[in-house]
Amino acid sequence: MSELEHALTVLQNQGIKKTTQRLNILDYLIHHRIHPSADIIAKSLKMNLTTVYNTLEILISSKLVYVLDNNQDGRKHYDYFGHPHYHVLCRNCGKIVDGSNIDLHSFPNLAHEASNFLIEQTSLEFIGLCEDCQKLLGLTENN
Ligand SMILES: [Zn+2]
Ligand SMILES: [Zn+2]
């Protein structure tokens, strides 16, 4: 099953119709793991910005798309989230890197045990300085 097929099954299971716009944005995000802002998505897909925002809202509610909104540039960045992963953000240049070497599947249970909340979503972010910015700021240990 392709990633897009997986995503469409998730939509279908939630009773969300697969429109051309939803399909196109999902396909774009699956193949561009660059955490784009809405206007980059609109430009790349030659879609109206309002349509992009409206479509993203639905995809976010389906949990297939994740919003990063604490980035340095003050803009919202969107990410395909069909498989949970965490993010590492550079506080200097705003670079965002995906991390998959932490198994997030046990986190909702742990959070439920700690709070008795019904957990609906997991997000984990680390904030620091990327390699380039460490060099720029003279923070590298070896050189
Ligand atoms: Zn940086
Ligand atoms: Zn990501």
Side-chain angles (χ1 to χ4, degrees):
M1 194 191 284
S2 78
E3 199 51 54
L4 186 61
E5 285 170 329
H6 165 75
L8 293 177
T9 309
V10 172
L11 282 189
Q12 198 176 9
N13 290 342
Q14 298 182 44
I16 301 172
K17 280 195 201 126
K18 40 181 171 183
T19 64
T20 310
Q21 287 100 326
R22 291 168 196 170
L23 225 136
N24 286 348
I25 290 186
L26 276 174
D27 190 57
Y28 177 80
L29 288 175
I30 287 169
H31 293 105
H32 298 81
R33 310 307 304 272
I34 53 171
H35 309 92
S37 57
D39 51 309
I40 287 175
I41 299 172
K43 253 182 226 148
S44 306
L45 294 176
K46 298 184 173 60
M47 272 172 83
N48 177 286
L49 188 59
T50 310
T51 310
V52 168
Y53 275 120
N54 291 339
T55 308
L56 282 170
E57 279 311 311
I58 290 157
L59 294 175
I60 291 161
S61 75
S62 77
K63 312 268 193 302
L64 280 173
V65 169
Y66 179 75
V67 203
L68 286 135
D69 55 8
N70 62 351
N71 201 30
Q72 192 60 23
D73 62 6
R75 317 173 80 162
K76 291 188 177 191
H77 292 261
Y78 300 89
D79 190 20
Y80 175 67
F81 211 62
H83 301 281
H85 56 269
Y86 68 90
H87 292 102
V88 191
L89 288 84
C90 178
R91 66 172 167 80
N92 194 51
C93 70
K95 189 180 292 168
I96 303 167
V97 171
D98 285 334
S100 57
N101 56 349
I102 296 176
D103 183 4
L104 297 176
H105 289 95
S106 59
F107 280 35
N109 279 335
L110 294 171
H112 171 74
E113 279 171 25
S115 64
N116 270 330
F117 277 35
L118 172 66
I119 305 299
E120 297 176 325
Q121 188 155 23
T122 306
S123 74
L124 182 63
E125 280 155 34
F126 297 91
I127 295 164
L129 286 165
C130 74
E131 273 191 301
D132 289 342
C133 291
Q134 290 172 56
K135 277 184 200 140
L136 207 71
L137 299 172
L139 293 174
T140 40
E141 285 168 29
N142 298 322
N143 356 273

